Amino acid sequence: MTAQLAVETPSRGSLPDYLPARMINEHVYCPRLFYFEQVEGVFVDNEHTVEGSVQHKRVDKEGKSAPKPDEEPEEPVVVRSITLSSEEHKVIAKLDLAEFDGGRATPVDYKHGRPMKSDNGVEVWPSDRVQMAVQGLVLRENGYRSDEGVVFYQKTRQRVRVPFDDETMAWAEKAIGEAWETAAATEIPPPLVDSPKCPGCSLVGICMPDETWNLRSHGGNGGSGQLKLFEPTPRIPDMPQEKATRLLVAPRMELRPLYLNSPKLRVGKSGGVLRIKENDKVVQDARINEICQVNLMGAVQITTQAVQELCREEKPICYFSQGGWFYGVTTGLGTKNVFLRRSQFRLAEEEWFCLRLARKLVAGKIRNQRTMLMRNHIEPPELDMREMKRLVGRAEAAESPDELLGLEGWAARIYFGLFSGMVKRERDGEVEEGLSFDFSARNRRPPRDPVNALLSLGYSLLVKDLTVACYAVGFDPMIGFYHQPRHGRPALALDLMEPLRPLIADSAVLSAVNTKMVSERDFVTAGQAVSLTPGGRKGFFRAYESRMETLVTHPFFGYRVSYRRLLEMQARLLAKTLQGELSEYPVFVTR
């Protein structure tokens, strides 16, 4: 590997036949937003987009046909929902409404916001102005006379006119050309810098503008569109180097997972509600718009209608064995970002990239294991702590995946050898019935003691959540970089999980045991195998979800987010690394 090493970004797919006029609006507002929506097919609703959609439903009602260009009706004609295209500029426009009067066509567009205030009073926003001008171009090419457009702002109930003068129309033509150039580009436009547009953008959680600039200004890629590794990154002059990263999304996610834990349950759908029955008796109703995923443990039945509705609403259905083994996921067709998967497949074949990423993952895992011991062990041995610190350095300089596996195993032996020192279960005089929480070593397939049973279930839940995050971002979770592909194994989710195992799954296990959310009586044995009862799993689900909702300070950005929010953030940061926006994947390490 040399300082000249770079990975070429593949060309994008074929361009669309037409660009919608609305997309020209988006490009003027933010080229990066245009790229996400038009090129990568990403769209997320927020309160502004939902409000706009509701308002457009009121005006998007097909009515009478538009008069022909050479017709001059005796009375003004108002026509709704007209779709016209321009062959010259290759744009297509859906007009909310058009007023035809004396051979002249005036497009009217409805916006849910407010007009822009200026010294001259109220004006349309630049992005709205260009969208109206594009509609004027389309009308003119189709033979209509069009001298001006109107934007109706719902918040203030005001009509603001847009004259179609030569300057405005020339600007619209230039904006169309620039949008086509962006659509054909192999690089995503850079994020806006400290922009007031970002907080209200529905894609801010995907774009991560401040986070991207933060990482790029501290050693990330300068945005060339290529993974130029091992090269110093120049200072980015437009980005204040010491400015705090804004928290532009809610620290916690509003939606919650649904766990169904009994084989007697059957899930159906009634309207927008999941109706859960046991022996034909309704035991629970769950609103689909209040959940983020459905987890089925064992032989829980679910109807086709419920599956179809959950797929339509992009709510993953996750399947587990009764013992907690993660089988897979059913999702909708929301994953459209084929370009990310192409980058993923290509780089998964590059040994140097896989090794570079694997070093960071393993080093981060060992750091977080050491932190867990320093925080929670009754008296962590100083010699072992020094050894784990030394292993971090060796992992960062490992020369092969096999060496990394050896170092990871070495650190795991130290960590799990000391794990019992973090189990602080106190018995209240009486000895509880059932298995004890004594722990001596990690074992699995099957786990042979209660703590190992909890660890195995915790890792299954965490890999499930990271698999869901991979699908949400656009990855193929089966293709990893450190974990090699294997039938039925979500290798990429396992990669992302490595540094987070101690902080989420192990911490949830310790919390469940030490706070008595799970008792000794919550386990059963079958031969050498130990597993949880339904009641025990329910108690552990509470501990796990409590940990996922815990707020943690992000070491790179300085703000606090929940671990559940963190999972998707880390998956998106890896996507930015694969697509060349960042040259290093920022592994999450806590202090």
Side-chain angles (χ1 to χ4, degrees):
M1 295 182 290
T2 69
Q4 303 302 317
L5 185 57
V7 176
E8 296 296 332
T9 303
S11 61
R12 294 290 177 179
S14 60
L15 294 172
D17 294 332
Y18 301 93
L19 285 180
R22 181 179 64 83
M23 286 292 104
I24 312 302
N25 175 316
E26 301 284 27
H27 191 275
V28 171
Y29 185 80
C30 174
R32 188 173 172 92
L33 176 63
F34 165 87
Y35 194 91
F36 278 125
E37 292 192 349
Q38 176 62 41
V39 180
E40 297 190 350
V42 177
F43 185 80
V44 177
D45 272 318
N46 65 5
E47 66 272 18
H48 304 298
T49 63
V50 171
E51 183 180 357
S53 296
V54 170
Q55 291 169 349
H56 272 88
K57 284 182 179 179
R58 299 172 187 160
V59 299
D60 286 353
K61 298 177 180 177
E62 295 186 5
K64 61 184 70 175
S65 299
K68 296 179 180 179
D70 56 354
E71 292 181 1
E72 293 191 10
E74 296 179 359
E75 297 182 356
V77 175
V78 175
V79 183
R80 299 178 183 272
S81 296
I82 310 170
T83 300
L84 300 170
S85 63
S86 164
E87 292 300 320
E88 178 183 354
H89 301 292
K90 293 296 181 182
V91 293
I92 188 167
K94 182 177 181 181
L95 283 60
D96 290 342
L97 182 149
E99 299 171 348
F100 296 90
D101 186 7
R104 183 175 291 105
T106 302
V108 180
D109 205 67
Y110 287 74
K111 301 293 182 183
H112 76 278
R114 304 171 183 271
M116 180 177 66
K117 294 183 179 179
S118 69
D119 295 337
N120 300 322
V122 294
E123 298 180 10
V124 297
W125 296 96
S127 56
D128 296 339
R129 178 181 170 220
V130 77
Q131 183 175 351
M132 296 308 303
V134 171
Q135 292 184 8
L137 286 172
V138 172
L139 283 166
R140 289 180 180 181
E141 186 172 329
N142 281 270
Y144 296 97
R145 287 181 292 159
S146 189
D147 301 326
E148 66 176 3
V150 176
V151 180
F152 181 78
Y153 288 98
Q154 298 273 7
K155 288 287 187 183
T156 58
R157 311 293 295 177
Q158 289 176 289
R159 288 166 58 100
V160 185
R161 297 187 177 273
V162 180
F164 292 160
D165 52 39
D166 292 342
E167 179 184 356
T168 298
M169 304 312 277
W171 179 49
E173 292 180 351
K174 180 182 178 183
I176 292 171
E178 291 173 346
W180 274 112
E181 290 177 2
T182 301
T186 58
E187 306 172 18
I188 186 171
L192 301 179
V193 178
D194 198 26
S195 173
K197 299 177 182 179
C198 297
C201 178
S202 64
L203 297 187
V204 68
I206 295 172
C207 174
M208 302 177 69
D210 286 23
E211 292 85 350
T212 302
W213 279 122
N214 180 305
L215 294 169
R216 288 168 68 169
S217 64
H218 290 84
N221 190 359
S224 66
Q226 297 179 346
L227 289 171
K228 293 186 176 177
L229 303 182
F230 320 113
E231 297 180 6
T233 301
R235 177 186 173 93
I236 301 174
D238 295 329
M239 182 63 183
Q241 299 297 299
E242 302 302 325
K243 186 174 180 61
T245 304
R246 296 175 295 176
L247 179 59
L248 300 177
V249 296
R252 290 188 174 96
M253 300 178 71
E254 296 179 358
L255 308 181
R256 297 289 181 268
L258 173 66
Y259 291 92
L260 300 176
N261 190 31
S262 170
K264 298 179 181 179
L265 296 179
R266 179 180 174 85
V267 185
K269 182 186 82 75
S270 177
V273 173
L274 291 182
R275 182 141 293 169
I276 302 156
K277 297 181 179 180
E278 184 173 6
N279 298 327
D280 295 328
K281 179 182 178 181
V282 176
V283 295
Q284 184 180 353
D285 281 342
R287 295 184 182 276
I288 294 175
N289 62 1
E290 294 179 355
I291 61 177
C292 62
Q293 59 183 238
V294 177
N295 299 279
L296 308 180
M297 313 296 294
V300 177
Q301 303 297 311
I302 184 167
T303 66
T304 301
Q305 293 88 339
V307 171
Q308 290 174 343
E309 183 68 13
L310 289 167
C311 287
R312 190 179 71 83
E313 295 293 330
E314 298 297 329
K315 312 285 186 178
I317 307 168
C318 305
Y319 305 94
F320 295 82
S321 70
Q322 194 68 46
W325 180 261
F326 176 49
Y327 282 140
V329 180
T330 297
T331 65
L333 294 175
T335 302
K336 301 176 182 178
N337 190 358
V338 66
F339 306 118
L340 172 59
R341 293 195 295 280
R342 285 172 62 180
S343 297
Q344 178 189 359
F345 298 156
R346 188 180 72 258
L347 289 171
E349 300 297 322
E350 299 287 348
E351 294 183 3
W352 59 268
F353 182 83
C354 292
L355 178 60
R356 185 173 178 84
L357 179 60
R359 286 172 181 160
K360 298 181 72 66
L361 295 172
V362 173
K365 178 182 180 180
I366 299 173
R367 280 195 175 98
N368 287 334
Q369 286 176 331
R370 184 175 183 272
T371 298
M372 282 288 292
L373 290 169
M374 295 290 288
R375 283 181 179 177
N376 300 293
H377 196 279
I378 188 170
E379 188 177 0
E382 184 178 348
L383 186 62
D384 288 326
M385 296 301 96
R386 286 204 302 266
E387 180 64 10
M388 292 191 77
K389 186 175 182 179
R390 188 179 71 87
L391 289 173
V392 169
R394 290 191 59 184
E396 291 174 332
E399 297 183 356
S400 70
D402 288 341
E403 183 181 353
L404 272 176
L405 286 170
L407 295 170
E408 182 185 12
W410 191 345
R413 282 192 294 274
I414 297 174
Y415 175 70
F416 286 113
L418 299 173
F419 197 87
S420 61
M422 297 188 286
V423 178
K424 303 169 185 176
R425 180 64 171 250
E426 295 182 1
R427 303 195 182 194
D428 302 326
E430 299 181 3
V431 177
E432 296 189 35
E433 297 179 1
L435 300 169
S436 71
F437 287 108
D438 295 334
F439 180 89
S440 57
R442 177 76 176 116
N443 56 69
R444 58 197 181 102
R445 297 182 184 176
R448 295 186 288 276
D449 60 76
V451 174
N452 273 293
L454 289 170
L455 288 170
S456 293
L457 180 56
Y459 296 150
S460 286
L461 296 178
L462 184 53
V463 75
K464 171 265 299 183
D465 283 324
L466 282 164
T467 300
V468 168
C470 287
Y471 278 123
V473 171
F475 282 119
D476 183 339
M478 297 296 174
I479 303 296
F481 300 94
Y482 178 44
H483 292 83
Q484 295 304 302
R486 183 186 300 170
H487 176 74
R489 182 172 75 169
L492 183 62
L494 291 171
D495 283 355
L496 290 168
M497 185 172 75
E498 290 299 342
L500 300 172
R501 285 176 186 259
L503 303 179
I504 299 178
D506 297 357
S507 181
V509 170
L510 294 173
S511 178
V513 173
N514 293 341
T515 62
K516 299 186 179 181
M517 299 174 80
V518 176
S519 74
E520 287 86 342
R521 291 187 292 269
D522 288 326
F523 297 88
V524 294
T525 60
Q528 290 187 328
V530 174
S531 61
L532 283 133
T533 64
R537 283 195 300 272
K538 186 176 180 180
F540 183 71
F541 293 156
R542 288 198 302 271
Y544 178 81
E545 289 302 323
S546 175
R547 186 59 178 169
M548 291 292 277
E549 291 304 306
T550 300
L551 294 180
V552 60
T553 301
H554 200 287
F556 294 100
F557 310 134
Y559 54 60
R560 289 169 64 79
V561 292
S562 70
Y563 276 110
R564 184 170 295 283
R565 176 76 72 185
L566 178 74
L567 298 189
E568 184 175 334
M569 287 180 60
Q570 291 302 120
R572 294 201 180 280
L573 291 173
L574 179 59
K576 293 178 186 298
T577 305
L578 300 191
Q579 293 187 302
E581 287 201 82
L582 304 173
S583 65
E584 295 279 356
Y585 171 61
V587 174
F588 182 85
V589 178
T590 190
R591 297 181 178 85

